[in-house]
Amino acid sequence: MTGDTRATAVAHVNVALVKYWGKRDADLVIPWTSSLSMTLDAFRTTTTVRFLAEEGEDEVVLDGTAVTGVARRRVTAFLDLVRSRAGRTGKALVHSENAVPTGAGLASSSSGFAALALAASSACGLGLDATALSRLARRGSGSASRSVFGGFAQWHAGHDDESSYAEPVESAGFDPVMVVALVDTAHKSVNSRDAMRRTVETSPLFRPWADSSAADLKEMRAAVERADLDAVGEVAERNALGMHATMLAARPAVRYFAPATVAALDAVLALRRAGISAYATMDAGPNVKVLCHRADAAAVTEAVRASAGCPTAVSGVGPAARLVTS
C-alpha cells in the first residue's frame, strides 16, 4: 500500500490482576511470567496514524504536545516495524489523546500502544486478526498485548514472537468495578522499563515471585471464569504486593509507595474487616486500584478518599480496541 492513508483507533487501559514484571527477551518483549488483566472503561487512548507517500521524519503528538526523546523513539521504532511488515515507506503523522495520566503507574502504555498498533496496522492495510494484533502491540509495550481485548485477558508469556500473545478469558456474569486512588499522577521517578531491569538483575526475591506467579495465574483464571470476586481479589492483592516486594529488595531498591499509598491500603483492610469485599492491586507507581462489587463502589470510594486524601475514579469492565471514524 502506498500513498496517503490513515486510521483512528481507541484502546482502553488494562490493569493486571496477575502481574507482568520483567522481560526474558527485551527486544521481542517476551516476559518471564504470564499474566491476566481486566480492561477498564474509564481510561483510554485515541490515536490517529496517517502515512504519507513523502519521506521524512515521523511526527508524534500527544495531547497537543510534540513527543521527544525516548518516548518518541519508542513510537518511531514501532512504526518502522509496521512499515517493514507492510512493505512500505513514507513518514507517519501520529496524533494521540490520553484520557489517562501518562507515565504515572496507571498503565497508559497499554492503551497507548494497543491503539497505535491497531491504527498503524490498519492504515497500512495489514488486516490483522486479534491474535496477530496482540503480538504486534506487545512489541511496543508488553501490557498492550492485553488491551487489544475487552473484559479479561491472559497474556501467554511464550518463548518467541509467535507464542507470546494475549487471548480473552471467559467471564460470563463477572462485572466488578475498580476504584482507583489517584495518589500521584505525575511522571514516576523510575520508569517501568528501568525498574523491571533492575529488579530482574538484582532482586533476590524476583525468581521466587515469578515461580509463585504460575500458581497465582491458574487460581486467577479459574476464579474469573466462575465470577468469584473474593477469590480474584485475594490472588490479585498477594500477587501485586509480592511484585512490589521484589522491587523493594532490588539493589538499590525501587520504591513507589507514598504515605497516601499506605493509607489507601490500610483503608482496604479496614473495609474487609467491616465485611465489604475490597481488594487492592498496584502497578509500578503509587496509585492503588481497589477491586470490589459494583454495589460497594460508593462505600469503597468514600473510605479510600477519607483515608488517603486523594481523588478517585471508578471504572467498570472495558471494551476491546476498535477502529473509529476520526
Side-chain angles (χ1 to χ4, degrees), residues 8 21 54 59 72 74 88 94 119 126 129 144 154 162 164 166 176 178 192 209 219 228 230 246 248 272 276 299 319:
T8 299
W21 193 247
E54 67 190 72
E59 298 176 18
R72 181 183 180 280
R74 286 182 68 186
R88 71 164 295 160
V94 179
L126 288 178
D129 63 22
Q154 179 177 337
E162 185 72 15
S164 188
M178 275 192 181
S192 295
W209 173 81
E219 286 187 47
D228 186 340
D230 288 297
T246 69
L248 290 170
R272 287 211 295 273
I276 294 176

Side-chain angles (χ1 to χ4, degrees), residues 3 15 63 79 97 100 105 135 146 150 163 187 240 242 267 269 283 289-290 296 315:
V15 171
D63 295 332
L79 293 170
E97 295 181 359
V100 54
R135 291 191 188 99
R146 302 185 304 247
S163 59
H187 274 270
L269 291 175
D283 293 304
K289 296 91 170 176
V290 186
D296 293 327
S315 181

Side-chain angles (χ1 to χ4, degrees), residues 52-286:
L52 306 180
E54 67 190 72
E55 300 298 323
E57 291 190 355
D58 296 328
E59 298 176 18
V60 183
V61 176
L62 174 62
D63 295 332
T65 302
V67 176
T68 60
V70 173
R72 181 183 180 280
R73 288 195 293 274
R74 286 182 68 186
V75 173
T76 57
F78 188 83
L79 293 170
D80 287 341
L81 177 64
V82 174
R83 277 184 288 244
S84 175
R85 292 187 178 185
R88 71 164 295 160
T89 59
K91 68 182 291 185
L93 310 179
V94 179
H95 288 262
S96 288
E97 295 181 359
N98 261 353
V100 54
T102 304
L106 289 168
S108 60
S109 66
S110 66
S111 58
F113 276 96
L116 180 63
L118 179 54
S121 63
S122 297
C124 277
L126 288 178
L128 303 179
D129 63 22
T131 300
L133 183 63
S134 176
R135 291 191 188 99
L136 176 63
R138 187 200 78 236
R139 297 290 298 274
S141 172
S143 58
S145 66
R146 302 185 304 247
S147 278
V148 168
F149 303 97
F152 299 84
Q154 179 177 337
W155 174 16
H156 301 283
H159 59 274
D160 58 13
D161 185 57
E162 185 72 15
S163 59
S164 188
Y165 62 90
E167 66 174 1
V169 175
E170 290 297 324
S171 56
F174 193 34
D175 186 33
V177 298
M178 275 192 181
V179 176
V180 182
L182 299 166
V183 171
D184 189 347
T185 58
H187 274 270
K188 300 174 290 192
S189 58
V190 182
N191 67 49
S192 295
R193 288 191 168 198
D194 291 342
M196 281 187 194
R197 187 180 307 110
R198 188 189 305 176
T199 302
V200 171
E201 291 176 355
T202 71
S203 175
L205 300 185
F206 177 74
R207 292 301 178 89
W209 173 81
D211 291 342
S212 70
S213 251
D216 286 347
L217 181 68
K218 184 177 180 180
E219 286 187 47
M220 177 64 74
R221 181 155 185 151
V224 168
E225 289 174 344
R226 67 175 186 269
D228 186 340
L229 183 135
D230 288 297
V232 167
E234 288 174 7
V235 176
E237 188 167 290
R238 78 187 186 213
N239 186 267
L241 293 178
M243 181 186 77
H244 279 269
T246 69
M247 291 186 245
L248 290 170
R251 301 171 184 178
V254 178
R255 183 178 66 84
Y256 289 118
F257 281 43
T261 303
V262 178
L265 294 173
D266 287 344
V268 171
L269 291 175
L271 284 163
R272 287 211 295 273
R273 286 195 291 266
I276 294 176
S277 294
Y279 299 88
T281 187
M282 294 176 62
D283 293 304

